Amino acid sequence: MKKKNGFIAVSLIYSFFLVFLMLMLSSSIKNAQTRLLLGTIKEDIKNQLGAKSEFIITSLPAKNPLTNADYRIGDEVNFVGESWFVVSNQNNSVVLVLKRALNKEEVTQALEVSETNNNFFAGQCNDTSCQVRMCMSTYFDNLCYYQSNSNFVYYNWDKSIAKRIVESWFENNQNLQKVCRLQYNATLGKRMCSKDTLIHMTFHDGVQNNTGYIRIASNNEAAAGRTTWVNNNGGYLATESWTLTRQNATNGKSFIYDIKGNIRQNENVMAIRPVIEVRKS
């Protein structure tokens, strides 16, 4: 009888022990799954916050995100990994001009030519900036040009070399595309941003209205910023750059303002500084 009772007692102990092991195993598995799930969620949140923080407009050096009242013409801000100057402050958005000028690699990528092609270049073109014509000196398909008084196409933004350059820079800039994500819009028949961070701007070039996510400054914008961002080039050749505003056109030549208010022939060479409009969060 004692042996039988002892066997039962041992069996009960082993049974409780096995149940205990199963409970512990089950708990350990559940805890491991929970840790994995939480780790995944935390990593996802971290990535999302990291991605968003890169595109928050902040003053330099880093401060809290600027409020509406903080934006003044000439303020230097950081956006998508670049330094910009505030061109104008709107109720729900802010217009920014790139602090630096586009460089040789960025310009030649757009034009698919070498820097020795004087139809595009006739000035400095290196790793810090690249001076280009606004129009061609000879005929080139879909661009404004001058060849003679009877063979020419006058400047407008749509026909300019500058438009081709800044649009290429916009489409190839990975950080800008993160806040835009261009997708083809069948209704409009063109590619549009699928995200609403950037404003699709409407602007005038002295000839006609134009639209787009990227452009260069107008003469009026440059005039308003001549005591601030226009003369603050940060060591680049950015103060010698084009605006998109045509002053006049005659005898086959177009005359366009630079950002200092000088009137330049379309064959002159100046640097290019992109302009964007960012929606306030």
Side-chain angles (χ1 to χ4, degrees), residues 220-238:
N220 287 341
E221 290 171 329
R226 281 200 188 117
T227 60
T228 53
W229 65 266
V230 168
N231 293 317
N232 189 343
N233 66 1
Y236 301 101
L237 196 64

Side-chain angles (χ1 to χ4, degrees), residues 1-254:
M1 186 70 180
K2 287 183 179 181
K3 290 184 179 181
K4 185 175 181 181
N5 290 339
F7 176 76
I8 293 173
V10 171
S11 298
L12 286 173
I13 291 171
Y14 274 112
S15 297
F16 283 121
F17 181 69
L18 289 173
V19 170
F20 175 76
L21 286 179
M22 291 177 66
L23 289 173
M24 289 295 294
L25 181 61
S26 175
S27 177
S28 298
I29 293 173
K30 184 174 290 186
N31 288 337
Q33 290 175 335
T34 302
R35 283 196 299 271
L36 287 173
L37 179 60
L38 288 174
T40 302
I41 293 173
K42 286 170 64 178
E43 188 65 26
D44 185 55
I45 292 172
K46 180 180 176 181
N47 290 337
Q48 289 188 37
L49 289 174
K52 288 183 178 180
S53 66
E54 186 177 3
F55 307 118
I56 293 174
I57 299 176
T58 56
S59 56
L60 298 178
K63 296 180 182 177
N64 294 327
L66 296 174
T67 63
N68 292 0
D70 287 326
Y71 294 105
R72 299 182 301 258
I73 294 175
D75 280 349
E76 185 175 340
V77 301
N78 186 274
F79 182 65
V80 294
E82 292 273 11
S83 294
W84 306 75
F85 289 123
V86 172
V87 173
S88 65
N89 180 56
Q90 313 299 326
N91 288 334
N92 300 309
S93 63
V94 61
V95 177
L96 305 174
V97 61
L98 192 64
K99 179 179 179 179
R100 66 180 180 86
L102 297 187
N103 61 35
K104 172 184 173 182
E105 180 180 357
E106 292 161 332
V107 170
T108 54
Q109 181 181 40
L111 301 177
E112 297 180 354
V113 294
S114 72
E115 66 174 297
T116 58
N117 186 332
N118 286 330
N119 280 330
F120 291 96
F121 311 102
Q124 177 178 317
C125 191
N126 55 36
D127 292 339
T128 60
S129 64
C130 194
Q131 296 174 302
V132 298
R133 303 179 190 276
M134 186 62 87
C135 297
M136 297 292 287
S137 58
T138 57
Y139 173 77
F140 196 91
D141 190 34
N142 295 322
L143 290 176
C144 55
Y145 69 96
Y146 170 80
Q147 200 166 45
S148 70
N149 288 351
S150 59
N151 186 11
F152 57 84
V153 172
Y154 284 129
Y155 162 86
N156 62 51
W157 175 248
D158 192 53
K159 295 281 187 181
S160 69
I161 294 174
K163 179 177 185 285
R164 180 176 292 193
I165 291 171
V166 296
E167 287 185 347
S168 169
W169 182 75
F170 177 74
E171 292 179 7
N172 289 289
N173 187 300
Q174 294 182 358
N175 286 335
L176 278 173
Q177 287 310 307
K178 287 178 182 178
V179 298
C180 167
R181 292 184 184 172
L182 281 171
Q183 292 182 358
Y184 182 75
N185 186 307
T187 303
L188 298 175
K190 58 183 177 181
R191 294 200 299 167
M192 300 289 288
C193 288
S194 59
K195 303 179 75 173
D196 66 355
T197 305
L198 301 180
I199 303 291
H200 195 246
M201 299 174 284
T202 298
F203 51 95
H204 200 272
D205 60 12
V207 184
Q208 62 190 27
N209 280 325
N210 302 270
T211 60
Y213 291 106
I214 193 159
R215 57 180 176 87
I216 58 178
S218 69
N219 181 53
N220 287 341
E221 290 171 329
R226 281 200 188 117
T227 60
T228 53
W229 65 266
V230 168
N231 293 317
N232 189 343
N233 66 1
Y236 301 101
L237 196 64
T239 54
E240 305 294 329
S241 57
W242 288 108
T243 76
L244 55 77
T245 306
R246 192 177 88 182
Q247 185 264 350
N248 193 16
T250 184
N251 295 324
K253 291 196 175 184
S254 303

